Amino acid sequence: GEGAKRIVGGHLKTDGNMFADSQASFFDGLNALVDAGLPPGAGGSCRIVLPLIGMTKVECLQEGARLKARLDLSWSCYLDGVSHCGTCAGCRITSSMW
């Protein structure tokens, strides 16, 4: 919304191997583009941040468990739906970990 200072993305270290728009460099460029479109001296630019970008999925899950995060509310499926599809790469990778 208006006045937001951060947009947080959940991309992981290996996401960029499959999707170029999941790489940290993509978001660095996107942040630079937003900055370039602001009037000179305009402060308060909204930044896209990727706090998990240095983690593998296993490391992310371990950190989530350590923090007692509600991992049951996470979404690894690449498709939008009521439940996980079970067949996309995101679902296959996640299910192979359990």
Side-chain angles (χ1 to χ4, degrees), residues 43-77:
S45 173
C46 183
R47 309 296 298 165
I48 301 170
V49 295
L50 307 171
L52 309 176
I53 198 69
M55 294 182 177
T56 65
K57 190 169 281 224
V58 169
E59 292 167 336
C60 182
L61 290 172
Q62 288 171 336
E63 181 67 3
R66 186 187 73 76
L67 295 170
K68 296 180 175 49
R70 292 283 314 269
L71 298 175
D72 60 311
L73 299 176
S74 65
W75 189 265
S76 294
C77 186

Side-chain angles (χ1 to χ4, degrees), residues 11 35 88:
H11 297 295
D35 289 344
C88 73

Side-chain angles (χ1 to χ4, degrees), residues 6-97:
R6 303 278 184 277
I7 298 171
V8 180
H11 297 295
L12 300 172
K13 182 189 295 189
T14 55
D15 292 347
N17 296 341
M18 291 179 62
F19 304 103
D21 62 352
S22 296
Q23 297 172 0
S25 60
F26 176 85
F27 288 96
D28 291 343
L30 193 53
N31 281 326
L33 182 64
V34 169
D35 289 344
L38 293 173
S45 173
C46 183
R47 309 296 298 165
I48 301 170
V49 295
L50 307 171
L52 309 176
I53 198 69
M55 294 182 177
T56 65
K57 190 169 281 224
V58 169
E59 292 167 336
C60 182
L61 290 172
Q62 288 171 336
E63 181 67 3
R66 186 187 73 76
L67 295 170
K68 296 180 175 49
R70 292 283 314 269
L71 298 175
D72 60 311
L73 299 176
S74 65
W75 189 265
S76 294
C77 186
Y78 294 161
L79 303 177
D80 188 20
V82 177
S83 62
H84 294 85
C85 74
T87 59
C88 73
C91 286
R92 288 192 318 269
I93 292 166
T94 302
S95 68
S96 71
M97 298 174 68

